[in-house]
Structures are given as C-alpha cells and as structure tokens.
Amino acid sequence: MKRIFTKLSVLTFLCFLFINAASAQDITIRGVVSDGADKTTLPGVSVLVKGTQIGTQTDATGKYAISAPANATLVFSYIGYNPTEMQVNNRTVINVELASSSQQLEQVVVVGYGTQKKIDVTGSVGNVKGEDIAKQASVNPVSSLQGKVAGVTITNVGAPGGTPQLTIRGTSTIYGKTGALYVVDGVWYDDINFLNPADIADISILKDASAQSIFGIRGANGVVLVTTTKGKKGDPIINYNGSVGFQRVTNKVEMANASEYATAVNEAYALLGQPALFASTDLGKGTDWYGLMLRDAMVTNHQISINGGTEKSTYNLSLGYLNQDGIVKNNNYQRYTARLSNDIQIFEALKIGYNVAANSSKSKDAPTALFRGLYAASPVVPVFNPDGSYGDPNDFNLGNGSNINPQVTMDFFNQRTTKYKVTGNVFAELKLLKDFTFKTSVGGDFGQEEVRGYVPKYEATTAQNNTISKLNIDRVENRNWIIENTLTYDKQWDDHRLTVLAGQTAQRVKTYKTFAEAQNVPYSSESDLYLALGDAASRSIRDEGELSTFSSYFARVNYAYKNKYLLNASFRRDGASQFYGFDSNPWGNFPSVGAGWVITNEDFMKDQKVFSNLKLRGSWGKVGNAGVPFNPSTLTVDQSAALIAFFGGNPQTGASIRSIVPPSLLWERSAGTNVGLEMGFMENRLKIETDYYTRKTEQAIFNIPILGSLGTTNSTILGNQADIKNSGVEFLTTWADKTQGGLTYTISANLGINNNKVLNVSSGDNPVYQGGVGLTSGYRSTRTVNNRPIGEFFGYQVAGIFQTAEEVAEWKNNKFSIGDFKFADINNDGTIDDRDRVVLGNPNPKFSYGVNTNFAYKSFDLTVDIQGVAGVDVLNANLANRFGNENYTKDFFDHRWTGPGSSNTYPSANLANELNKAPSSFYVESGDYIRLRNIQLGYTLPQSLTTKWKARSLRVFINAQNAVNLFGYKGFSPEVGGTPTNAGIDTNVYPLFATYNFGVNLTF
C-alpha cells in the first residue's frame, strides 16, 4: 500500500508541474465574430482551443473572451458556416469573419482502411462522435450507441461488466456468430469491453454490404470501427473526467405477499382435491425477497488524460478507474484501464507510431440462479428463524423444488472473476513517389480470464446443503495477432479524384481453455484457495484449445468526377482454416460496388433554392461469416467404461462417434443491396437521409437432424441449410439552428424498420424447434421454418378459461380442470395436441428508433436522448417455470381465476397441469418500450473563475440514464436477448436499473 501511495504522490507532483508549465503561458484573447458577407455579428459561435476541450461562445453581440496559450490555435465553428482556424501568435485581439457554407462537403468519416469525405461515401455508414459517447453514463461504449444510429439494435445486460448485444439490420445467421466485428485502431475484436468510453474519439458503423465487404469473412454481421483519442501538437493538456452516482432498480416486479401467497396456494390445493396447506392465511406481508436482496448501488468513474506534442511527435496518455456495485448485494465490478498512443514523424516521408492499451478487471459475481430464486421464493419463509438458523421452506411443507431461501444462495456463493488484456499495434507509414503511401501494421492482444468458484461445506436448509467442499478454476487465454500491409495511391487532377488501395492481411486467433476442480478444499481466506489442498483423488483437469488462421488479399478503388459522379469498388479474397479438410474451396471471394450522384453539383441545379444538398447513392456487395465451429472436419468420439468389451479376457476400450463430419461445408455469405438518398435544406440546417436495403444470407450454416441408426449419439450434422433475408428502410433527420438570443440546438431523429424471413430451409416444411429453456419438458417455444422469421414463438392460442366442469367434459383425450387454460382447437378435432399450435409472436424487433437533442445557451448545455423499439414480442417463461409452490406475481394474484365468471384470461392458482405450462399466447407479451435513455445538464464555469484556480476550464454536470421507462411487459425489462433461435425468452433477466450521477470535467 505504501508503494502505491508513493507512486500516486509522484504522479500528482508531475501533474502539478504540467499544470504550472501550461498555465504560465496563457493569455486572454478577445474579439468579435461576424458574418463575412453582411458583416452582422453572430451570437452563439463556438470558440475552442484546438486539441483541447477548452471553449466558450460569443455573446448576443458576437463578442467572446477566452484564455489560451500564446501559441495556441482557436477554432471558430457555427451552424451554416465553414469552421475557421486562427493562430493566436501572442495576439490578444482576434476578430473573425465566417464564410457561409451551403454544403458541408468536408465532413470526414472513418471507413475500412482509411477515411472518406462524407460526400464521397456511396455505402451506408453511421457515425457517432466521442463527445456524444462521453455524455452517457454507460460503462460500456456499445451501450452508449443505443438509439444513436438507425438500423442498429442494442440489448443491454444489467450485470456489471456484461457485454451488450449489438445487431445491425436484423439477424442474418442461425448457427454462426451473430456479433459485429469491432476494429479498434486497426486491430480486430469480438467485443470492446476492455475499452474505456472516455478514450474514444469516433465510432463508425458500417451497415451495408458495400461498406462491409472490405472486411470479407468477418463483415457479415456489420463492422464497428473505433478510433481512439490521439495526441495533438501543443503544450500539455491535462484533463480529468469524474463522476459519482448510484443505480436504482426500475419497474420492479411486485410479488404476492405472505397472506396473498397462502390464499393462492390453498386455492391450488383445493382444486387438486387436497386439504389446505395453511390453516390461516392472515400472515401479513411476510418476507420481501426482492427488497432484501436488491439495493441502490454506487458507481464511480474516473479518468485522467495528458495530451500534447511537438511538430515531430504527439502523445496521448490516459488512465481510468471504474468501481460499479451491482444492484444485487455483494455484487461488485472494478475495472482499471490505461492507454498510450504516440505518433513520431521520423522525417517528412516516414511516420511511425503505436497504440497500447491495458485493461484489468475483477468482480465479485452474483449467482446466476439468484433471480430465479427471488422470483420463486415463498414470502411466508423468514430469512432467519428466531434461533438464528436459516428459514427453511420445508418447515412449511413447501417442497424442495425451486422454492428455496435466497439468503442461503447468497451467503454460500463464492465466485470471483478476474480479467487481464493487453492490446495494441505498431505501425509505420511511408510516402513514396509523391502519390503513394505504404503502411504496415502489426497488432494483437493477449488476454486472460479466470473464474474461481468455491462451495464450502454447509448445512442451511433441507434442500440447501453441501457435504463436500469443492473448488473450481476455469481459465481462458487468448493470444491473437494480425499483420496488415497496404499501399495507397491518391491522386487529384483537374476534375478527377482517384484513390486506389491494395492490401494483404494475415491473422491468427488462438484460445487456450483449462477447467480444473478439486474436492475437500479447506477454506481459510480468499487468497488461500488452491487445488493442491484438495483430495488428490478428486482433482481433475480438462485442457482444450481453439485455433483459427486467416489469410486475405483486398483492393479498393474510389473515383470522383467533378464532385458529381462517384464510384467505389472493392474486392477481398479470404482463406480460413475452418474450411480446410473439405472437398469445397476454403477460399471465398467478396466483391462490392457502389455509385453516387451529387445532384446539387449539376449545372441545372445551380439556380434552385430548395436543396442545399441532394445526393443519390446505391451499392451492392457480398460479405461472409467465419463464425462457425472450430475444426468441423475433425471426427470426435466418446470413450467410457460403458464401452469396454472383453476379447480373450482382455478389456478393450471402445468408442462412440459423437459427431459426423459433413461431406462439405461452404461459405456462409450475405449479398446485399442499398439505395440511399441524402437531402439538405435551408443551408443544411435541415438534413434528411433515407436508405432502403435488402440482404440475403446464402447457404446459412446450422445443424441438420439425422437418424440415430447412423451410429452416432448426436442427432444432427452441420451443413449449409437455408437462406435468410433481411430487408428494411432507415430514416435519419436532423435540424440544427441558432437563435438571435444565442441558443444553439440540434434535434435528430432516426428510425429503422426491418423484416426478417427464412427462405429455402433444406428440411422443407419440417421446422427447426428450439427455446425449451424454462418451460415444461417436451415443449419447444420457438420455431424456424420457411417464409417466417427466425425463432418466432410457437404454441397454443388461449381461447379462455374453463369455467365449469361441463365445459371441461366437452373435450376428449385431454386432462383439463376448471380454471385451466382453454386452448383453441385449430383443426376442430375435439382434442388439443401439437397440430393445434400456432404462431404466437416475433422476437425480432420490427422498429427501432431514437431521438437525440443537444442545446447550448451561454454557459449551460443540455442533452436529452429518447430511445425505443416496437413490433417485438417477449416470452415470459418465468410464469411457466413452476415445479411446486413457487410464489406468484401480484399481477397474477389480482387477476387469477377464482370461480366461474371471475376471469377468462388468467388461469387459477393451480398451474400443476402440464398443458398450463406449455408455450401459449398467455406467456407471450409485447416487448415494445420507449425510454428516456439519457438526460444531462451541464454548466461551464466562467473563465474568470477557472483562471484564478490555474485551470483552463471546469464543467460540472448532472446526469440520469434510463430514468423513465414506459412498457407494458410484466417482467423487469423487455430487453431480452439470446441466440437467434432462443431470443426473447425471459428466464429472469438481470433487472433494468436507472443511473443517477454527478460529474466534473476539469482541464488544465
């Protein structure tokens, strides 16, 4: 501890040295900003010290005053005008005239292997700036994108440190990886949990196949390009971002209290012809298990960065710390991040640089079964008895099913997760023959995740006890590298602009997995849990690994003529190790082409006054999905004692084939088209962008059912089985303006509409059934079949509730009782069976939308974001997941059937009938929601105050995230993810919570 404080003291001392050095050279600059044409003064103009977050605005008369280094550069920007940079050069008075901009052609967006002007882009690319991400309370940068980009759906995970699920333009695979490819400063990842949101400068989301195809086999589910903050020349700028706040559960599910529970249980027993379980139902409120286990959870987030450089070298260093308590007691997550980037101009033609990031996290985990236990736990059971022992459901004759004491689950759960990751890349960029640039980059990451779980000996309740202690250690290591070389030719002459890119990539993805356990490990402290302490005979270890290698070649051509006619064409050829060992070709080819027409640059449009910008674009491309199982061409077998045969008295070990190697396996490819229209009005104050797209996944890979007579214990074989189509429309509109009083504001709204359909399943009309988790054994709740969405909900349509014994008697071959569901007899044969099941809902969202606003007035700024989805369904499996005497929700208790005429929608408290627990329309609910995603109010203190404190700027803010959530779903949250054929099934998701915090942004 002493060494840590010593290091912190040294760091603090160095920071003060930087502060004094920076502040000593500051001067105050004043001036007036006006329109370059009519000379009128402009209020609300943004004045920023380049390379910093130090800024101010002009007042109602166009005047400004700002403190900055004597050698700084000031950036003046205003809606409808071209940004202007002015060198200070020791001047204390700088007046500026801004030129009106009818077209914002200079905006630059990041695309694969480079950047392009927005006007030159022919594909569909969404862009989110780092400052928009910074105004979110999300600890994961992916969550910060929710509602920001049309066609992008994000499903959050409530558990601290969890990875949100990001889907771009619908689900396009069944068996392969569904996640997008993340490219951070040129290095490829499956997620960006390791990244501090404050380190991000820009995110581009490549949505159509034309934009994605340059990434070949990894682009089928979309590509997210992340650019981190880089150093900028100038004196050192020290910035601190910090916030502290708390998280609170929203929309908590209310459960029946003890009296209500006892009443419902007695009713259920009566319907079964059994005596009442409780002699009296006057038991009061009893135990509120959710109130006992959930809490307001603290969260703190700190980041400090130092940015600066010279003409020859720039640097950026950042350090971050996050401490997030879970809303479940004892649950905690801590993350430490560090990032260093350095660009060095060796000489005019050669630049080298590196980006290095390190991440370390540790968590005290919550039991995965806890929320099921809280949902089911009986309120009549006390947490502790008067003698200090645990309350036991068995003492109330409640059985030993899922009705347990959740306090026991928490007290004897001991699991820690630690993660480490070091990642980055080194690059060199050499300019050749004036128009050529060669770039080579070597990157990779080394990561380790370890989960240590310990179960001690204990005896708490009849059902919750353990006689043998056990220690489990699961460890996964990733060692990946990627090498890329590109050669770019960039030439502009007369009315022509040409960029040609050629490149080569080699990549290896390697994973080590070790699973070990030992029994009878004594417990003394967290740091003294070792496998070697357990019984030698009980110790076991399983070692696994995965290895994939890729080799790729790619090229792209961008051409523009007179800034009117645009052409983009690319080609990539990929080879992947997963496809070796088959008769099919392991190499795949992925072409694309896009074209654009900037109509407003035509001569016949010069005199029109309607459009500030009008651009039509279209594209087609093909991408692939390499996310298939490792080594599918390898035959696997099982060996066990049951397979031993004796020949001549000698035992011979036999083997059972566990899988069948498919005779061939082809690339899973997606071919897509996109047509877009971009419009600007009133000097681009109003912008409208719309896209129509269609994407067809060809030869989608998933398992085919096979006969057991073929000699395998597995009933499936991997193969190319179907085509999947996603089509839709996206809209984005933005209004940005200013008022004479100095208010500047931006209002942006986006909408994505997607339709998902499975085409040409090789099994024909034989569906693929999944979704059995949490429901009655033998029933599957999702179906994937021709001409329907992936994983739609499938089951019985509830037509009412049996009110009388006479109604029950009308049905043959079914064991119904009064108060049970009455299912629709679809085929009118007088009985209920599989032939009566129908489509119940769709877990694939049809609509996703967001409204994002920014307001600034004098020293105040306000951000308000609204986000939601519609046209989506959720299956509430919690209600059906019953094994005997579990608790009821308050909603169910209030609306249950209690006798003839009492309810025709909710069944009785007796849910023992297996058909009552089968997938039905009763359990499928609308997953539509709209929420106040984020609201932040900030205030920047006057420079007259911050200068006295030797600071350049100080901004304070208050923030609320997910504070208002509107939905009709009866669970904790309608945000329910899952794999494609198991999506939208709620088996007790981590509860949704709101975050409220206060923060400071301080710059020296």
Side-chain angles (χ1 to χ4, degrees):
M1 184 64 68
K2 182 177 180 181
R3 294 178 60 188
I4 294 175
F5 279 115
T6 301
K7 292 179 179 178
L8 288 174
S9 299
V10 172
L11 179 59
T12 304
F13 176 74
L14 291 175
C15 289
F16 277 113
L17 287 180
F18 279 127
I19 292 168
N20 292 330
S23 62
Q25 301 177 30
D26 283 0
I27 61 174
T28 299
I29 305 102
R30 292 181 171 84
V32 178
V33 182
S34 57
D35 185 296
D38 59 20
K39 309 305 179 183
T40 58
T41 57
L42 298 175
V45 176
S46 172
V47 185
L48 187 70
V49 179
K50 187 175 181 180
T52 75
Q53 296 184 352
I54 304 168
T56 186
Q57 288 185 333
T58 57
D59 61 18
T61 62
K63 296 179 181 179
Y64 74 93
I66 190 170
S67 179
N71 61 347
T73 298
L74 300 183
V75 181
F76 298 81
S77 56
Y78 199 42
I79 297 170
Y81 291 81
N82 290 323
T84 299
E85 295 187 3
M86 300 291 289
Q87 295 283 343
V88 174
N89 292 331
N90 291 307
R91 291 180 293 172
T92 57
V93 177
I94 300 178
N95 296 321
V96 178
E97 292 183 354
L98 297 183
S100 176
S101 173
S102 60
Q103 297 186 16
Q104 297 176 348
L105 302 180
E106 302 305 315
Q107 181 185 354
V108 175
V109 295
V110 178
V111 295
Y113 301 99
T115 60
Q116 280 186 288
K117 293 180 180 179
K118 171 66 174 174
I119 197 67
D120 290 339
V121 175
T122 59
S124 182
V125 180
N127 186 261
V128 181
K129 298 299 182 184
E131 52 263 32
D132 294 325
I133 296 172
K135 290 183 178 180
Q136 300 279 336
S138 303
V139 299
N140 188 296
V142 175
S143 294
S144 302
L145 300 176
Q146 194 169 39
K148 296 288 187 182
V149 181
V152 177
T153 304
I154 294 171
T155 303
N156 282 306
V157 179
T163 302
Q165 184 176 336
L166 181 145
T167 305
I168 300 174
R169 290 185 169 179
T171 302
S172 59
T173 186
I174 293 178
Y175 197 89
K177 288 185 178 179
T178 59
L181 168 66
Y182 296 91
V183 182
V184 182
D185 295 330
V187 183
W188 297 19
Y189 304 95
D190 289 331
D191 65 68
I192 50 175
N193 261 5
F194 62 92
L195 200 58
N196 188 333
D199 286 331
I200 294 176
D202 181 273
I203 291 182
S204 288
I205 300 178
L206 311 186
K207 297 190 289 183
D208 75 317
S210 167
Q212 299 160 356
S213 64
I214 197 69
F215 293 98
I217 55 173
R218 297 291 301 277
N221 299 311
V223 182
V224 180
L225 305 179
V226 181
T227 303
T228 59
T229 304
K230 306 299 181 186
K232 298 179 180 178
K233 63 181 180 179
D235 294 328
I237 303 296
I238 301 173
N239 179 259
Y240 166 76
N241 279 296
S243 64
V244 60
F246 66 93
Q247 301 161 154
R248 173 172 292 174
V249 175
T250 61
N251 303 84
K252 186 170 71 172
V253 175
E254 186 178 359
M255 306 300 293
N257 62 34
S259 295
E260 294 165 340
Y261 169 78
T263 300
V265 169
N266 281 353
E267 289 177 7
Y269 276 55
L271 289 168
L272 292 171
Q274 300 177 11
L277 184 62
F278 296 97
S280 171
T281 60
D282 186 13
L283 301 176
K285 292 185 177 181
T287 304
D288 177 7
W289 290 104
Y290 278 123
L292 179 72
M293 291 294 174
L294 303 182
R295 63 178 175 180
D296 287 349
M298 294 294 295
V299 56
T300 60
N301 201 350
H302 306 277
Q303 195 238 20
I304 186 170
S305 65
I306 303 176
N307 187 304
T310 66
E311 294 291 338
K312 293 292 186 180
S313 176
T314 59
Y315 62 87
N316 184 80
L317 169 66
S318 70
L319 303 172
Y321 170 69
L322 167 72
N323 188 351
Q324 181 184 15
D325 287 333
I327 57 173
V328 177
K329 292 179 179 179
N330 300 329
N331 187 201
N332 175 263
Y333 173 76
Q334 295 183 50
R335 182 184 67 197
Y336 304 84
T337 59
R339 175 169 288 272
L340 174 63
S341 66
N342 191 195
D343 291 353
I344 305 170
Q345 196 76 42
I346 302 298
F347 47 86
E348 185 176 356
L350 177 63
K351 181 172 73 173
I352 64 173
Y354 61 86
N355 302 280
V356 180
N359 170 284
S360 172
S361 68
K362 58 181 180 180
S363 64
K364 186 176 182 181
D365 303 332
T368 55
L370 177 65
F371 289 110
R372 171 58 196 164
L374 293 174
Y375 191 88
S378 168
V380 304
V381 178
V383 182
F384 297 102
N385 294 316
D387 62 1
S389 61
Y390 288 99
D392 190 343
N394 198 59
D395 293 340
F396 299 85
N397 298 314
L398 295 179
N400 298 327
S402 59
N403 198 331
I404 49 87
N405 185 329
Q407 186 67 53
V408 176
T409 304
M410 285 293 295
D411 288 349
F412 293 98
F413 181 81
N414 185 342
Q415 180 174 294
R416 305 289 190 274
T417 299
T418 57
K419 297 181 182 181
Y420 307 94
K421 182 186 278 289
V422 178
T423 181
N425 73 320
V426 179
F427 69 90
E429 191 174 278
L430 179 65
K431 293 189 178 296
L432 304 168
L433 303 177
K434 185 180 178 180
D435 298 320
F436 288 89
T437 302
F438 173 75
K439 183 176 181 179
T440 183
S441 173
V442 179
D445 68 277
F446 172 85
Q448 175 180 299
E449 176 180 345
E450 181 180 281
V451 180
R452 298 173 69 93
Y454 179 73
V455 182
K457 291 182 181 180
Y458 70 93
E459 187 173 347
T461 69
T462 305
Q464 295 170 281
N465 56 78
N466 185 54
T467 58
I468 301 175
S469 64
K470 185 170 70 172
L471 175 65
N472 290 83
I473 300 178
D474 300 339
R475 182 176 296 168
V476 178
E477 295 183 6
N478 297 304
R479 299 177 182 176
N480 311 321
W481 55 256
I482 181 171
I483 300 174
E484 294 187 316
N485 298 291
T486 60
L487 181 64
T488 304
Y489 173 77
D490 196 351
K491 181 71 173 180
Q492 184 170 348
W493 69 100
D494 299 330
D495 295 325
H496 308 273
R497 190 168 65 252
L498 176 66
T499 302
V500 181
L501 169 76
Q504 169 271 335
T505 296
Q507 186 176 9
R508 188 184 76 167
V509 180
K510 191 171 187 178
T511 304
Y512 298 92
K513 299 179 180 180
T514 305
F515 308 93
E517 69 175 51
Q519 296 179 355
N520 288 322
V521 177
Y523 180 85
S524 57
S525 67
E526 296 291 339
S527 59
D528 291 328
L529 289 174
Y530 300 103
L531 295 170
L533 299 176
D535 293 340
S538 70
R539 291 197 293 267
S540 65
I541 187 168
R542 187 173 83 253
D543 188 20
E544 298 180 4
E546 298 172 347
L547 174 65
S548 290
T549 56
F550 306 93
S551 182
S552 309
Y553 304 91
F554 55 90
R556 181 177 62 205
V557 175
N558 293 317
Y559 173 73
Y561 177 66
K562 287 188 174 181
N563 289 326
K564 301 178 187 178
Y565 313 113
L566 314 170
L567 177 67
N568 179 307
S570 68
F571 180 83
R572 184 169 181 126
R573 181 170 172 80
D574 285 311
S577 59
Q578 291 103 311
F579 294 90
Y580 280 91
F582 298 103
D583 294 335
S584 53
N585 188 354
W587 288 84
N589 300 318
F590 304 99
S592 77
V593 62
W597 179 25
V598 185
I599 304 173
T600 42
N601 284 352
E602 293 286 358
D603 292 340
F604 63 81
M605 294 288 289
K606 287 184 177 179
D607 295 329
Q608 59 85 30
K609 303 297 183 182
V610 177
F611 295 100
S612 308
N613 178 42
L614 182 61
K615 173 186 169 185
L616 179 66
R617 50 180 168 77
S619 62
W620 172 91
K622 185 171 282 192
V623 286
N625 189 351
V628 298
F630 290 87
N631 304 320
S633 62
T634 301
L635 181 69
T636 58
V637 298
D638 278 332
Q639 291 183 312
S640 68
L643 301 174
I644 294 177
F646 289 86
F647 296 94
N650 296 318
Q652 303 292 330
T653 303
S656 174
I657 297 174
R658 189 152 48 98
S659 64
I660 292 181
V661 176
S664 66
L665 198 63
L666 304 175
W667 286 99
E668 184 176 288
R669 309 166 186 261
S670 291
T673 58
N674 190 97
V675 178
L677 182 65
E678 299 175 15
M679 296 173 285
F681 305 90
M682 293 174 283
E683 296 185 344
N684 280 326
R685 289 196 297 273
L686 174 64
K687 297 179 185 178
I688 299 176
E689 188 171 336
T690 181
D691 284 84
Y692 169 77
Y693 66 88
T694 179
R695 179 180 60 180
K696 181 180 178 182
T697 301
E698 303 166 341
Q699 303 169 341
I701 297 173
F702 60 95
N703 284 320
I704 317 166
I706 60 174
L707 297 175
S709 59
L710 294 178
T712 174
T713 56
N714 196 350
S715 60
T716 60
I717 182 174
L718 200 65
N720 300 98
Q721 296 308 306
D723 296 339
I724 302 168
K725 182 180 179 181
N726 284 278
S727 59
V729 183
E730 295 170 355
F731 300 94
L732 171 64
T733 181
T734 302
W735 173 261
D737 204 357
K738 57 191 179 294
T739 67
Q740 290 296 324
L743 173 68
T744 62
Y745 61 95
T746 302
I747 301 174
S748 178
N750 65 78
L751 170 67
I753 305 173
N754 180 263
N755 293 287
N756 177 275
K757 184 185 291 187
V758 177
L759 308 174
N760 307 320
V761 177
S762 62
S763 57
D765 293 329
N766 296 322
V768 176
Y769 292 106
Q770 291 291 329
V773 178
L775 297 172
T776 301
S777 177
Y779 291 99
R780 297 288 181 174
S781 56
T782 73
R783 181 187 73 163
T784 301
V785 70
N786 272 342
N787 298 314
R788 300 294 303 179
I790 293 176
E792 64 183 353
F793 298 128
F794 192 69
Y796 298 109
Q797 182 67 46
V798 174
I801 303 296
F802 284 106
Q803 303 292 329
T804 65
E806 289 74 20
E807 287 186 27
V808 175
E810 295 176 3
W811 293 82
K812 60 182 180 181
N813 300 328
N814 292 118
K815 296 181 180 180
F816 290 112
S817 301
I818 57 172
D820 286 349
F821 287 126
K822 181 191 295 184
F823 296 134
D825 183 12
I826 302 301
N827 61 356
N828 296 312
D829 64 354
T831 189
I832 299 299
D833 53 27
D834 288 351
R835 291 170 293 183
D836 295 307
R837 291 189 292 169
V838 296
V839 174
L840 302 176
N842 185 359
N844 302 285
K846 185 176 181 63
F847 304 98
S848 60
Y849 56 89
V851 178
N852 305 285
T853 66
N854 289 283
F855 303 89
Y857 179 72
K858 295 184 178 179
S859 296
F860 290 92
D861 61 88
L862 175 67
T863 298
V864 180
D865 297 329
I866 298 172
Q867 173 265 332
V869 299
V872 62
D873 298 296
V874 176
L875 193 150
N876 193 344
N878 305 308
L879 297 172
N881 195 358
R882 301 184 65 88
F883 303 96
N885 297 324
E886 290 88 353
N887 197 11
Y888 303 87
T889 65
K890 186 67 164 59
D891 171 75
F892 184 92
F893 177 83
D894 289 342
H895 298 91
R896 74 195 187 285
W897 182 90
T898 57
S902 58
S903 174
N904 203 40
T905 54
Y906 281 63
S908 71
N910 173 29
L911 292 174
N913 190 329
E914 291 296 294
L915 278 176
N916 279 340
K917 296 188 288 183
S920 71
S921 58
F922 176 77
Y923 301 112
V924 177
E925 304 178 40
S926 171
D928 299 358
Y929 70 85
I930 180 172
R931 69 163 56 109
L932 181 60
R933 174 60 182 162
N934 197 69
I935 180 169
Q936 184 176 114
L937 176 64
Y939 176 74
T940 301
L941 272 68
Q943 282 201 328
S944 58
L945 289 178
T946 56
T947 302
K948 293 180 180 179
W949 303 333
K950 297 185 178 180
R952 298 190 178 189
S953 68
L954 174 61
R955 177 179 178 267
V956 295
F957 64 87
I958 54 175
N959 192 93
Q961 187 175 81
N962 298 336
V964 179
N965 302 273
L966 303 177
F967 56 82
Y969 178 59
K970 296 182 180 65
F972 269 105
S973 170
E975 278 193 276
V976 183
T979 58
T981 54
N982 293 278
I985 302 175
D986 183 2
T987 55
N988 281 286
V989 298
Y990 201 100
L992 177 70
F993 56 83
T995 301
Y996 305 91
N997 57 0
F998 166 80
V1000 175
N1001 186 305
L1002 178 61
T1003 303
F1004 294 100

